[in-house]
Each structure stands twice: as structure tokens, then as C-alpha cells.
Amino acid sequence: MYKNTLYLVFELTALTAVTVHRIILASQSDPAVTADDFNIAAALAFCCLFLTDFLFAELRRKKSRHMGKSVRTAFLAAEIFGCVLCGVEDYFPVFSAVMFELVDMLVADGYFYCIFTAVTFISAFIFEPSAYGAITAGVIAVLEIFSGTVMEKLERFIKISEEQRETISLLNAKISGLKSYSKTLREAAALEERGRFSARIHDKLGHGISGSIILLEGAKLNIRTNPEQAEKCIETAAENLRGSVDSIREALREERPLRHIAGIAEINEALEKFSVTYEIKTDFDIEGNAEKITPQIWICITENLTEAMTNTVKHSEADSFSLKISVYNKIIKAEFCDSGKNGGSFRKGMGLEAMEERTADCGGSCVFQKNPGGFKILNIFRL
């Protein structure tokens, strides 16, 4: 599109310059110049050829890219023949503009400008254009070369942009597919875990309870006729039920994840969701023995993390957020940091006051630090 429009603009510009110049000379009664009617008729004929060539080029570009170059070459040949018929020495700017399009269509990109320059100089020596025609053709040729270079770069950038958009679209489709696949895997894993746990409870609990029910029914039948036997059945059933309850407790204890592992997983999930939602880079690090962190402190850190991320989105304009938990012998330190823009003083709102209250309820303290590198919140808990 851009090249075809460029050809049309420069061809019409060259034709206008030549036609105006010849009409001016004719008005000055120069015997070497034909009448105005001929100049106007020639200009109209050239305009028809240029516009038809342009429309055919656009049609070929949009609908029939596989079509050959023979028709366009015929149009360009007709334009060159028109220049020869009207006098190349006077219509040399038009001749040069047409040759620019012809050479660009027939020659490989790497040699285009060299061949066009050579053809223009050879044509100038052969046809010996007038001074006005040579100067006008030279100016138009320089502008054509410059504009052509710019257009080539523009088309290259547009092509790269389209390729990038297609790549982004494919990546988005893959991300959507991976999210769906991840959701399916989580659901399948949850169902598998439920099935495994159900089978384990059935194996450890079902047989014991079923046997105890049978013993109790037997004791019910023998409680009047054979009390001693009924008592033994009841004792055995009670023993089986105690064993089943102990098995349930053991299974639940084994299946329940450790609190520090669950806490770390919950924080990682919250940070990952925050990063995807707001396009903010997140980082999480934990040092020391995480098993020392009590459930109350884990809950406090998780709730404070939610408040700190909300505060980052609302006020700091940050591009990164991090949480670091350090466990020492006597204290636990949680640092919430962002890289946002912070200038001047700040006022604690309800969110920061709530963080202080939660931390104090766990026997800790909350400190806020504002510096040029971002905003930091320190939670310090005593063990």
C-alpha cells in the first residue's frame, strides 16, 4: 500500500511540474512549445494511466497476490511510450518517476538504488533533457530514494509488529490453555486425594466398626440368656472401637500438612496471584526454622501480607514487591517491601492501623519505614 501510494504521488508531482512549466512557456509564445490544449490532454492521459496502474496494483495486492507482473509492466511501458511521444527531454521528470517504479518492480532489493541511479544517468545522456527537466527529475529522484528508504523501514516495522502481535496472541492462547490444564490437574489431584483418603478410612475404620456392630448385636441377643458372653462381646466391641478411633486420629495426623508448609504454600499462592493480576514482580524468601512459627503468627503474617499488597497497589506505584521472613532464636521478623515512589510524609490509614493491632495481638510490634527506595513494613514477633 505504501509503495503504491508513493509511486502515484511522485508521478503526479512530476507530471504537474512538467505540465505547469510547459503551459507557462506556451503562454510566453515560445515557438518550441506546443499549444496548451496538447499539454492538458497529455496531462489527463498520464493521470488516467497513473490512476489505473495504482488501482490495479492495489487490487493485485489485496485479492490476487499470485497474479503476474505482465499487466503492470504493460501500463509502465505505455507511460514510458507516452513520455517518448511527448518528448522525453521535456517530460524527463515523469520518465524518471516511471522508471523508479519499473526498476523497483523488476529488480531485487539489494541492487535497486544502484540500478535506478545508473538508468537515470544513462537516460539523461541519451535524451539530453532540458535544464529544468534535469533539475526537477533530480530533486524528485532524491525524494523518491529517501521516501522509499523510509517506507521500507516502516513496512519492515509493521511486519515485525504484526508478527509480534501474532506471537502474543499465540502465547495468550497457550497461557489460557495452561491455566485450564492446571485447573484440571488440581481438580484431578483433589479427587485422587479424596479417593485415597476415603479408601484409607474405609480400610482402617470400616472393618473395625462393622465387627463391633456384629459383636454388639450378638451381645444384645445373649444379654439375658448368657450375660457373661454378652459382656465379653461388649468389651471386645469397645476395644475395637477404641482402636478404630486411634486409627482415625493417626490417619488425620498423617494426612494433615505441617502448619509451616501450609503457610508457605498459602503465601506463595497469594504472591503469584498478585503478580499475575497487577503485573508486579514478587519475591518470597524465608530463613531459619519455619517450624518455630506458631499458627497465630502465620495467620497474622498472611493477613498483613494481603494488606501490604493492597497498600502497594493503591499508593506506591511499585513494579516489585517482596516478603522476607527471618526466624531467629528469640524473634521472628517479617519484612514487606515495595519499590514504589514515596515522597514526603505519610499518614497511617485504617489498613496500617489494623496491621499494628493484629501484630500486637500476637505479642509483636509493627514498624513502618519510608525511604527513597520504597516503603517497608516490619513485623517483629517474640517467641
mmCIF file of all heavy atoms in Angstrom, residues 126-146:
data_model
loop_
_atom_site.group_PDB
_atom_site.id
_atom_site.type_symbol
_atom_site.label_atom_id
_atom_site.label_comp_id
_atom_site.label_asym_id
_atom_site.label_seq_id
_atom_site.Cartn_x
_atom_site.Cartn_y
_atom_site.Cartn_z
ATOM 1 N N ILE A 126 21.279 10.033 -22.950
ATOM 2 C CA ILE A 126 20.663 9.667 -24.240
ATOM 3 C C ILE A 126 19.686 10.737 -24.704
ATOM 4 O O ILE A 126 19.720 11.191 -25.857
ATOM 5 C CB ILE A 126 19.967 8.301 -24.122
ATOM 6 C CG1 ILE A 126 21.011 7.196 -23.897
ATOM 7 C CG2 ILE A 126 19.137 8.001 -25.377
ATOM 8 C CD1 ILE A 126 20.419 5.835 -23.634
ATOM 9 N N PHE A 127 18.793 11.155 -23.801
ATOM 10 C CA PHE A 127 17.701 12.052 -24.210
ATOM 11 C C PHE A 127 18.024 13.534 -24.036
ATOM 12 O O PHE A 127 17.296 14.388 -24.539
ATOM 13 C CB PHE A 127 16.434 11.708 -23.415
ATOM 14 C CG PHE A 127 15.912 10.331 -23.681
ATOM 15 C CD1 PHE A 127 16.070 9.315 -22.745
ATOM 16 C CD2 PHE A 127 15.292 10.028 -24.882
ATOM 17 C CE1 PHE A 127 15.592 8.041 -22.979
ATOM 18 C CE2 PHE A 127 14.814 8.756 -25.131
ATOM 19 C CZ PHE A 127 14.971 7.755 -24.180
ATOM 20 N N GLU A 128 19.105 13.837 -23.314
ATOM 21 C CA GLU A 128 19.546 15.223 -23.101
ATOM 22 C C GLU A 128 18.369 16.127 -22.685
ATOM 23 O O GLU A 128 17.910 16.972 -23.450
ATOM 24 C CB GLU A 128 20.195 15.772 -24.375
ATOM 25 C CG GLU A 128 21.441 15.027 -24.778
ATOM 26 C CD GLU A 128 22.071 15.601 -26.031
ATOM 27 O OE1 GLU A 128 21.455 16.528 -26.631
ATOM 28 O OE2 GLU A 128 23.160 15.152 -26.404
ATOM 29 N N PRO A 129 17.835 15.941 -21.472
ATOM 30 C CA PRO A 129 16.692 16.752 -21.028
ATOM 31 C C PRO A 129 17.090 18.198 -20.840
ATOM 32 O O PRO A 129 18.275 18.544 -20.721
ATOM 33 C CB PRO A 129 16.307 16.108 -19.702
ATOM 34 C CG PRO A 129 17.575 15.503 -19.205
ATOM 35 C CD PRO A 129 18.306 15.016 -20.416
ATOM 36 N N SER A 130 16.073 19.054 -20.792
ATOM 37 C CA SER A 130 16.326 20.468 -20.544
ATOM 38 C C SER A 130 16.829 20.656 -19.121
ATOM 39 O O SER A 130 16.733 19.751 -18.282
ATOM 40 C CB SER A 130 15.026 21.262 -20.746
ATOM 41 O OG SER A 130 14.043 20.846 -19.797
ATOM 42 N N ALA A 131 17.361 21.840 -18.854
ATOM 43 C CA ALA A 131 17.899 22.113 -17.513
ATOM 44 C C ALA A 131 16.808 21.980 -16.459
ATOM 45 O O ALA A 131 17.007 21.398 -15.377
ATOM 46 C CB ALA A 131 18.523 23.498 -17.484
ATOM 47 N N TYR A 132 15.620 22.544 -16.799
ATOM 48 C CA TYR A 132 14.509 22.453 -15.838
ATOM 49 C C TYR A 132 14.119 21.000 -15.606
ATOM 50 O O TYR A 132 13.908 20.571 -14.456
ATOM 51 C CB TYR A 132 13.319 23.245 -16.375
ATOM 52 C CG TYR A 132 12.082 23.098 -15.523
ATOM 53 C CD1 TYR A 132 11.915 23.848 -14.360
ATOM 54 C CD2 TYR A 132 11.068 22.192 -15.879
ATOM 55 C CE1 TYR A 132 10.778 23.700 -13.576
ATOM 56 C CE2 TYR A 132 9.938 22.041 -15.098
ATOM 57 C CZ TYR A 132 9.791 22.803 -13.949
ATOM 58 O OH TYR A 132 8.681 22.667 -13.163
ATOM 59 N N GLY A 133 14.036 20.198 -16.705
ATOM 60 C CA GLY A 133 13.661 18.795 -16.567
ATOM 61 C C GLY A 133 14.682 18.006 -15.774
ATOM 62 O O GLY A 133 14.325 17.173 -14.930
ATOM 63 N N ALA A 134 15.979 18.255 -16.016
ATOM 64 C CA ALA A 134 17.027 17.528 -15.298
ATOM 65 C C ALA A 134 17.005 17.862 -13.812
ATOM 66 O O ALA A 134 17.115 16.979 -12.954
ATOM 67 C CB ALA A 134 18.389 17.842 -15.904
ATOM 68 N N ILE A 135 16.876 19.157 -13.488
ATOM 69 C CA ILE A 135 16.865 19.559 -12.072
ATOM 70 C C ILE A 135 15.643 18.994 -11.360
ATOM 71 O O ILE A 135 15.729 18.446 -10.253
ATOM 72 C CB ILE A 135 16.918 21.096 -11.959
ATOM 73 C CG1 ILE A 135 18.260 21.607 -12.491
ATOM 74 C CG2 ILE A 135 16.705 21.526 -10.516
ATOM 75 C CD1 ILE A 135 18.325 23.124 -12.575
ATOM 76 N N THR A 136 14.474 19.127 -12.015
ATOM 77 C CA THR A 136 13.247 18.605 -11.404
ATOM 78 C C THR A 136 13.318 17.097 -11.204
ATOM 79 O O THR A 136 12.947 16.555 -10.152
ATOM 80 C CB THR A 136 12.032 18.954 -12.281
ATOM 81 O OG1 THR A 136 12.004 20.366 -12.516
ATOM 82 C CG2 THR A 136 10.741 18.533 -11.609
ATOM 83 N N ALA A 137 13.824 16.397 -12.228
ATOM 84 C CA ALA A 137 13.964 14.947 -12.116
ATOM 85 C C ALA A 137 14.931 14.571 -10.997
ATOM 86 O O ALA A 137 14.702 13.603 -10.253
ATOM 87 C CB ALA A 137 14.439 14.360 -13.437
ATOM 88 N N GLY A 138 16.030 15.318 -10.863
ATOM 89 C CA GLY A 138 16.997 15.040 -9.805
ATOM 90 C C GLY A 138 16.403 15.226 -8.419
ATOM 91 O O GLY A 138 16.599 14.389 -7.517
ATOM 92 N N VAL A 139 15.648 16.320 -8.248
ATOM 93 C CA VAL A 139 15.026 16.564 -6.944
ATOM 94 C C VAL A 139 14.025 15.470 -6.609
ATOM 95 O O VAL A 139 13.995 14.922 -5.493
ATOM 96 C CB VAL A 139 14.347 17.951 -6.932
ATOM 97 C CG1 VAL A 139 13.518 18.126 -5.655
ATOM 98 C CG2 VAL A 139 15.383 19.056 -7.050
ATOM 99 N N ILE A 140 13.196 15.129 -7.610
ATOM 100 C CA ILE A 140 12.189 14.092 -7.376
ATOM 101 C C ILE A 140 12.852 12.740 -7.114
ATOM 102 O O ILE A 140 12.402 11.955 -6.265
ATOM 103 C CB ILE A 140 11.220 14.026 -8.573
ATOM 104 C CG1 ILE A 140 10.373 15.304 -8.621
ATOM 105 C CG2 ILE A 140 10.324 12.804 -8.481
ATOM 106 C CD1 ILE A 140 9.426 15.377 -9.804
ATOM 107 N N ALA A 141 13.943 12.440 -7.823
ATOM 108 C CA ALA A 141 14.634 11.169 -7.614
ATOM 109 C C ALA A 141 15.198 11.073 -6.200
ATOM 110 O O ALA A 141 15.107 10.027 -5.540
ATOM 111 C CB ALA A 141 15.750 11.008 -8.643
ATOM 112 N N VAL A 142 15.804 12.182 -5.728
ATOM 113 C CA VAL A 142 16.343 12.177 -4.359
ATOM 114 C C VAL A 142 15.220 11.956 -3.348
ATOM 115 O O VAL A 142 15.350 11.166 -2.391
ATOM 116 C CB VAL A 142 17.085 13.503 -4.087
ATOM 117 C CG1 VAL A 142 17.451 13.605 -2.603
ATOM 118 C CG2 VAL A 142 18.336 13.598 -4.945
ATOM 119 N N LEU A 143 14.096 12.654 -3.557
ATOM 120 C CA LEU A 143 12.963 12.483 -2.650
ATOM 121 C C LEU A 143 12.400 11.069 -2.727
ATOM 122 O O LEU A 143 11.984 10.490 -1.704
ATOM 123 C CB LEU A 143 11.874 13.505 -2.980
ATOM 124 C CG LEU A 143 12.222 14.973 -2.701
ATOM 125 C CD1 LEU A 143 11.092 15.876 -3.175
ATOM 126 C CD2 LEU A 143 12.482 15.188 -1.208
ATOM 127 N N GLU A 144 12.377 10.498 -3.928
ATOM 128 C CA GLU A 144 11.886 9.132 -4.079
ATOM 129 C C GLU A 144 12.774 8.145 -3.331
ATOM 130 O O GLU A 144 12.283 7.243 -2.635
ATOM 131 C CB GLU A 144 11.837 8.763 -5.556
ATOM 132 C CG GLU A 144 10.650 9.343 -6.297
ATOM 133 C CD GLU A 144 10.664 8.981 -7.765
ATOM 134 O OE1 GLU A 144 11.768 8.916 -8.347
ATOM 135 O OE2 GLU A 144 9.586 8.762 -8.328
ATOM 136 N N ILE A 145 14.081 8.301 -3.471
ATOM 137 C CA ILE A 145 15.005 7.387 -2.793
ATOM 138 C C ILE A 145 14.865 7.511 -1.279
ATOM 139 O O ILE A 145 14.795 6.509 -0.545
ATOM 140 C CB ILE A 145 16.452 7.655 -3.235
ATOM 141 C CG1 ILE A 145 16.609 7.279 -4.719
ATOM 142 C CG2 ILE A 145 17.434 6.875 -2.382
ATOM 143 C CD1 ILE A 145 17.953 7.662 -5.298
ATOM 144 N N PHE A 146 14.808 8.755 -0.792
ATOM 145 C CA PHE A 146 14.672 8.967 0.647
ATOM 146 C C PHE A 146 13.348 8.408 1.161
ATOM 147 O O PHE A 146 13.297 7.682 2.157
ATOM 148 C CB PHE A 146 14.764 10.463 0.956
ATOM 149 C CG PHE A 146 14.489 10.804 2.391
ATOM 150 C CD1 PHE A 146 15.434 10.557 3.380
ATOM 151 C CD2 PHE A 146 13.263 11.354 2.770
ATOM 152 C CE1 PHE A 146 15.178 10.868 4.701
ATOM 153 C CE2 PHE A 146 12.999 11.666 4.082
ATOM 154 C CZ PHE A 146 13.954 11.422 5.056
#
